[in-house]
Amino acid sequence: MLYVSWDPILIGISFLVAFIASFVALDSAGKVATSEPRSAIFWRFSGGATLGIGIWSMHYVGMLAMKMPVMMHYDLELTLLSFIIAMLTSILAINIAVAGKTLPTKRLLFASLLLGTGVVSMHYLGMASMMGFITIYWNAALIALSVAIAFLSAWVALWLAFSLRQNTHGVFINRVFAALVMGGSISAMHYTAMSAATFSSDGTGIVIRGHATTLMSHDVGELGLSLWVATTTLVIFGIMLFISMIDSQLRTSRLTDSLRQLNQQLEKQAYYDPLTGLANRSQLDNLLDACLGKASATRSTFALIYMDLDRFKLVNDAWGHHIGDQLLVAVAGRLSACISEKMSLARLGGDEFTLLVPDTHEDEVVALVKHLVATIQQPFCELNHVINVSLSAGISYYPQHGDTAHELKLKADTAMYSVKQEGRNSWAVFHAGMAQKTVDDPLFLQDLSQALSRDQFELWYQPQYHAPEHALAGFEALLRWRHPTRGVLLPATFLPMLEKTGLIISVGRWVIDAACRQLQHWNNQGFRHLTLAINLSPSQFEQHDIYDQITDSLQRYHIDPMQLTLEITENTALKNIERSVQLLNQFAQMGITVAIDDFGTGYSNMLMLKRLPATELKIDRSFVKDIRDNSRNVKIVSTIIDIAHSMNMHVVAEGIETAEQQALLTNLGCAYLQGFLFARPLPVEKVAVLLQQKRFTLSLECSDSSQKKPA
């Protein structure tokens, strides 16, 4: 028997080679999941090749660590064959293990058997390549143990390669630990297999199970093998580590760029509106604070303009939100084209826009806001739809209306809502007489939800006059909320919240009941000729029992259906045309008058309107506001009246404020008028006084004429 000693330094180097090979293989496998398809193929093959080369190198370094008293040589062909087997089986096994998103047990077992077989074959071929005047005797039990360790090592290596392929938190530490486990397993297999061999100088061949095998003639010495193994290992590992480092740097650079872009996007989202690209509410607050600081230091004046599209909700209801979004983008474009570089335009959300005008004076702001209102009034064309909207704007000035951002925003908002209450499509500068927007109070919703049960809602009545005779024909019922501390509030203040919360359904039932009860009271007083119009909200109109609600109230209060007028907007009527036709036909058959309210502000389709059993058309106040001889609105209103008459509909014009408007609309053939020129909405007690004045009541005139008997 030959005495065998071991070089501890080379043993350490062999383990280090196994560890480095394992780490590089795991690192390469980890890049598979996060790489492009082509790059993933490279990392799968390079990781497998590195593992195979590392196992082979570790084996031969371990063999070189074994010192015997004879000079050893290694067969070149067997050495190369062992190298090829180690590399190919490692590549195939790694590809099988990390190719899919999951690693089923069957696939892991197959890949482990493949890699284990390759490792065992490589090792024993390497042992067979040893050439010298020695004989090798084998311990069968240790051979079996080495084979078991080889398959277990392969299973551990492939499972770790799959498990650690994702870039997770602490991945570097995990891979170092896994590489230590893999390197230890590979080393354990090698040195167990080496310990199964006993060397003797009593022959010239290798004995396996007692049989001799003749060695091949081509050989390489220990020195040449050591240089070849060292060179190959260092070059391969060096190249792989270099590629891995370059890839990591590129990934880090790409990640940095991605994070920078993401931060920019997040910053943009935080301060700019994603739809229009304008500044958002947060950015406006920053700009406003900066403007306040500068204006305070320089004692200059700036203006804050709040703007809101009139009846924008109808756009979304009629054509959908995609059309509404395109309209908002178009509006933002028109507004931006009207302003200078020193100004800041923002979108607060929905259809609300804000304009900050620094270092300005009143004349400049007035000219600007007039231009903005006129610009938005021009028709928009979005996806072959012609859309008409208008703009309401409110203005506050620093320091005239406040020296804080909250004061200026609140007062500009209040001025804008005042414009909406007065008819829309205009602008106003805040003054103390304007009612503040009460929904800013956090207790507003709580008060509103209890208003009905506390009997705080009222119906006020605005007279409607028969134009040719200037005689009272009836009233329109308008909802008011008598708040215990804030006084009488107009619908624009609380109606949107009623609709948003669904409270409009219960309040709408109350309106129908209260209106019919009031009609009964007037009938009992002898005013049976009066009509009363009530508005049905879209939510009310869509209720399945709206017909029963109205017929029940008419029967309960003994009201002639011909005295009642139901007003719905054109968009509400056309939203579900089939149901609208069926329901309105039922009302018409009873004798109830159906009126189309706010006509001309939506997307008027006279052909569709012909299908509705409507007998009354109400022209919106926005057309009446600027009506004058030879104006564009005159032509529009004249056309509407002519078409309505051709469809046997009478026309009501609201918003009459001047005698010129009254005369012009009367000459155009408008039969009924209402507006501040005749009377503002009145509480019920003042209506009683109005009804007693003969010159304003048709009923008293009819009564006088009936008392005159023919001669």
Side-chain angles (χ1 to χ4, degrees):
M1 295 295 177
L2 292 177
Y3 173 75
V4 177
S5 62
W6 298 90
D7 187 333
I9 295 177
L10 288 178
I11 291 175
I13 292 174
S14 70
F15 173 76
L16 183 62
V17 169
F19 165 74
I20 294 175
S22 299
F23 182 84
V24 174
L26 291 175
D27 186 61
S28 299
K31 291 180 168 61
V32 171
T34 57
S35 300
E36 297 294 328
R38 291 184 179 179
S39 299
I41 293 174
F42 169 78
W43 289 116
R44 289 210 304 265
F45 277 86
S46 61
T50 303
L51 181 61
I53 294 171
I55 293 173
W56 178 84
S57 298
M58 180 269 162
H59 165 75
Y60 277 97
V61 171
M63 290 176 64
L64 290 171
M66 183 176 62
K67 301 298 182 181
M68 289 186 293
V70 296
M71 180 63 68
M72 296 301 302
H73 294 266
Y74 298 89
D75 184 83
L76 182 59
E77 285 80 3
L78 289 178
T79 301
L80 290 175
L81 182 59
S82 66
F83 175 82
I84 294 171
I85 289 175
M87 190 167 65
L88 288 180
T89 54
S90 297
I91 289 173
L92 290 174
I94 287 288
N95 274 269
I96 292 171
V98 301
K101 294 183 178 180
T102 60
L103 184 59
T105 303
K106 289 184 178 180
R107 200 169 81 223
L108 176 59
L109 182 60
F110 175 71
S112 300
L113 289 173
L114 179 64
L115 180 59
T117 301
V119 171
V120 170
S121 301
M122 178 275 303
H123 177 82
Y124 287 103
L125 276 174
M127 292 293 290
S129 69
M130 297 177 66
M131 302 174 63
F133 297 98
I134 62 171
T135 300
I136 303 177
Y137 297 91
W138 295 98
N139 185 316
L142 289 177
I143 289 175
L145 179 60
S146 70
V147 171
I149 293 175
F151 286 115
L152 179 62
S153 300
W155 189 92
V156 171
L158 295 174
W159 183 82
L160 289 173
F162 178 83
S163 301
L164 297 178
R165 67 179 188 156
Q166 299 290 347
N167 285 328
T168 58
H169 181 68
V171 66
F172 179 78
I173 299 300
N174 291 337
R175 283 182 183 159
V176 169
F177 176 75
L180 288 171
V181 173
M182 285 177 61
S185 300
I186 294 169
S187 299
M189 179 269 162
H190 171 78
Y191 287 108
T192 300
M194 291 290 289
S195 66
T198 302
F199 302 94
S200 174
S201 62
D202 57 355
T204 59
I206 298 176
V207 178
I208 302 177
R209 296 180 182 176
H211 299 284
T213 301
T214 303
L215 296 176
M216 304 179 76
S217 59
H218 297 92
D219 66 290
V220 60
E222 284 187 330
L223 180 60
L225 179 64
S226 62
L227 291 174
W228 189 41
V229 169
T231 302
T232 303
T233 303
L234 291 176
V235 169
I236 296 297
F237 285 2
I239 291 174
M240 287 305 303
L241 286 174
F242 179 76
I243 293 175
S244 182
M245 290 175 60
I246 294 297
D247 181 75
S248 297
Q249 290 293 329
L250 291 176
R251 288 170 181 267
T252 303
S253 178
R254 287 196 296 267
L255 179 61
T256 302
D257 291 339
S258 298
L259 288 174
R260 187 182 297 110
Q261 292 176 5
L262 179 60
N263 287 334
Q264 291 174 350
Q265 291 175 359
L266 291 175
E267 183 178 0
K268 188 173 182 179
Q269 290 179 3
Y271 295 106
Y272 293 91
D273 175 48
L275 179 64
T276 62
L278 300 176
N280 63 9
R281 190 183 298 271
S282 298
Q283 180 69 348
L284 173 69
D285 290 341
N286 295 335
L287 295 170
L288 186 53
D289 289 341
C291 199
L292 278 167
K294 182 178 179 181
S296 176
T298 60
R299 295 185 179 181
S300 59
T301 297
F302 69 85
L304 184 64
I305 306 174
Y306 263 46
M307 298 170 286
D308 188 272
L309 296 180
D310 299 325
R311 298 186 179 90
F312 175 73
K313 183 177 182 296
L314 300 179
V315 178
N316 289 331
D317 290 344
W319 302 114
H321 289 276
H322 64 292
I323 297 293
D325 288 346
Q326 291 195 6
L327 177 62
L328 290 173
V329 173
V331 168
R334 287 195 187 181
L335 294 177
S336 299
C338 297
I339 64 177
S340 63
E341 292 183 357
K342 73 173 184 178
M343 305 175 191
S344 299
L345 180 64
R347 178 182 174 228
L348 303 185
D351 59 334
E352 295 182 85
F353 295 84
T354 301
L355 181 61
L356 184 61
V357 187
D359 193 19
T360 188
H361 52 82
E362 186 172 349
D363 291 342
E364 180 186 11
V365 174
V366 169
L368 173 63
V369 76
K370 284 182 177 180
H371 184 40
L372 294 174
V373 171
T375 297
I376 300 304
Q377 196 173 9
Q378 299 300 316
F380 290 83
C381 184
E382 302 298 331
L383 291 180
N384 298 322
H385 298 297
V386 178
I387 303 175
N388 290 290
V389 292
S390 55
L391 190 71
S392 295
I395 306 169
S396 63
Y397 290 102
Y398 171 88
Q400 179 181 347
H401 298 130
D403 54 6
T404 67
H406 177 73
E407 286 181 296
L408 294 171
K409 289 191 291 185
L410 179 61
K411 291 179 179 179
D413 199 24
T414 299
M416 180 188 71
Y417 272 87
S418 177
V419 172
K420 283 186 171 291
Q421 293 169 9
E422 295 296 329
R424 306 179 180 89
N425 192 31
S426 188
W427 60 275
V429 178
F430 175 80
H431 58 79
M434 293 177 174
Q436 291 188 353
K437 187 184 176 187
T438 57
V439 293
D440 289 333
D441 193 325
L443 298 177
F444 177 79
L445 180 57
Q446 178 180 335
D447 292 343
L448 183 61
S449 63
Q450 298 174 349
L452 185 60
S453 61
R454 292 175 177 175
D455 198 26
Q456 293 175 351
F457 286 117
E458 299 177 1
L459 285 183
W460 286 34
Y461 303 91
Q462 186 170 30
Q464 293 180 343
Y465 288 90
H466 189 248
E469 300 179 7
H470 190 59
L472 182 64
F475 296 91
E476 179 181 4
L478 301 170
L479 186 63
R480 297 290 186 268
W481 178 16
R482 190 176 292 276
H483 194 277
T485 59
R486 297 172 179 172
V488 178
L489 303 180
L490 299 178
T493 307
F494 60 86
L495 198 58
M497 188 61 70
L498 284 179
E499 294 176 347
K500 184 176 181 180
T501 58
L503 292 171
I504 189 65
I505 303 301
S506 56
V507 174
R509 288 178 182 269
W510 176 87
V511 168
I512 293 171
D513 186 80
C516 291
R517 186 170 60 248
Q518 185 59 50
L519 262 178
Q520 183 190 46
H521 178 71
W522 288 336
N523 287 343
N524 293 339
Q525 288 183 328
F527 303 110
R528 293 185 173 273
H529 67 284
L530 292 177
T531 62
L532 183 61
I534 59 176
N535 293 274
L536 295 182
S537 72
S539 299
Q540 269 186 287
F541 189 72
E542 291 172 2
Q543 292 297 299
H544 69 280
D545 62 342
I546 185 64
Y547 179 80
D548 295 332
Q549 290 181 42
I550 293 173
T551 54
D552 179 67
S553 293
L554 291 175
Q555 292 172 5
R556 188 166 63 254
Y557 294 108
H558 309 288
I559 303 299
D560 183 352
M562 296 184 67
Q563 289 184 269
L564 185 66
T565 299
L566 299 178
E567 296 185 359
I568 59 174
T569 64
E570 55 181 310
N571 286 85
T572 300
L574 298 178
K575 186 175 182 180
N576 186 346
I577 187 67
E578 301 300 332
R579 179 183 181 275
S580 297
V581 169
Q582 180 182 1
L583 181 58
L584 295 181
N585 267 323
Q586 290 179 295
F587 287 135
Q589 289 169 5
M590 288 182 60
I592 297 175
T593 299
V594 175
I596 303 300
D597 194 17
D598 296 339
F599 187 80
T601 60
Y603 312 94
S604 309
N605 187 329
M606 299 302 295
L607 293 177
M608 295 294 289
L609 203 61
K610 285 180 65 176
R611 296 183 59 187
L612 300 174
T615 56
E616 183 174 293
L617 206 61
K618 294 194 72 174
I619 300 176
D620 186 71
R621 67 181 68 232
S622 61
F623 289 98
V624 176
K625 182 179 179 66
D626 296 323
I627 197 170
R628 59 186 184 278
D629 288 331
N630 299 322
S631 69
R632 179 172 174 267
N633 280 2
V634 168
K635 297 178 181 178
I636 295 175
V637 171
S638 176
T639 302
I640 292 175
I641 293 174
D642 290 342
I643 294 175
H645 287 168
S646 69
M647 298 168 59
N648 297 319
M649 302 172 70
H650 58 261
V651 181
V652 180
E654 54 185 355
I656 308 299
E657 298 181 0
T658 67
E660 179 186 4
Q661 292 171 347
Q662 176 193 5
L664 194 53
L665 286 163
T666 301
N667 292 334
L668 290 174
C670 187
Y672 296 90
L673 307 174
Q674 72 179 83
F676 292 171
L677 177 65
F678 309 108
R680 292 177 178 270
L682 304 170
V684 67
E685 59 270 15
K686 291 189 177 181
V687 172
V689 176
L690 177 64
L691 291 175
Q692 299 305 320
Q693 299 176 7
K694 290 186 179 182
R695 66 178 179 274
F696 293 114
T697 37
L698 179 62
S699 60
L700 292 183
E701 291 178 359
C702 292
S703 176
D704 290 342
S705 62
S706 64
Q707 292 175 4
K708 295 181 181 179
K709 306 234 180 186

PDB file of all heavy atoms in Angstrom, residues 279 319 472:
ATOM      1  N   ALA A 279     -51.588  72.380 -13.494  1.00  0.00           N
ATOM      2  CA  ALA A 279     -51.323  72.256 -12.064  1.00  0.00           C
ATOM      3  C   ALA A 279     -52.582  71.748 -11.359  1.00  0.00           C
ATOM      4  O   ALA A 279     -53.705  72.046 -11.783  1.00  0.00           O
ATOM      5  CB  ALA A 279     -50.902  73.609 -11.498  1.00  0.00           C
ATOM      6  N   TRP A 319     -73.209  61.560 -23.097  1.00  0.00           N
ATOM      7  CA  TRP A 319     -72.263  60.958 -24.042  1.00  0.00           C
ATOM      8  C   TRP A 319     -71.214  60.075 -23.387  1.00  0.00           C
ATOM      9  O   TRP A 319     -70.448  59.408 -24.084  1.00  0.00           O
ATOM     10  CB  TRP A 319     -71.553  62.071 -24.831  1.00  0.00           C
ATOM     11  CG  TRP A 319     -72.493  62.947 -25.580  1.00  0.00           C
ATOM     12  CD1 TRP A 319     -72.735  64.267 -25.366  1.00  0.00           C
ATOM     13  CD2 TRP A 319     -73.339  62.576 -26.668  1.00  0.00           C
ATOM     14  NE1 TRP A 319     -73.666  64.736 -26.233  1.00  0.00           N
ATOM     15  CE2 TRP A 319     -74.064  63.721 -27.063  1.00  0.00           C
ATOM     16  CE3 TRP A 319     -73.568  61.391 -27.348  1.00  0.00           C
ATOM     17  CZ2 TRP A 319     -74.981  63.720 -28.091  1.00  0.00           C
ATOM     18  CZ3 TRP A 319     -74.498  61.376 -28.385  1.00  0.00           C
ATOM     19  CH2 TRP A 319     -75.186  62.532 -28.746  1.00  0.00           C
ATOM     20  N   LEU A 472    -101.330  86.569 -15.001  1.00  0.00           N
ATOM     21  CA  LEU A 472    -100.759  85.471 -14.237  1.00  0.00           C
ATOM     22  C   LEU A 472    -101.369  84.148 -14.679  1.00  0.00           C
ATOM     23  O   LEU A 472    -102.590  83.970 -14.644  1.00  0.00           O
ATOM     24  CB  LEU A 472    -101.010  85.684 -12.742  1.00  0.00           C
ATOM     25  CG  LEU A 472    -100.422  84.635 -11.806  1.00  0.00           C
ATOM     26  CD1 LEU A 472     -98.912  84.635 -11.868  1.00  0.00           C
ATOM     27  CD2 LEU A 472    -100.901  84.880 -10.373  1.00  0.00           C
TER      28      LEU A 472
END
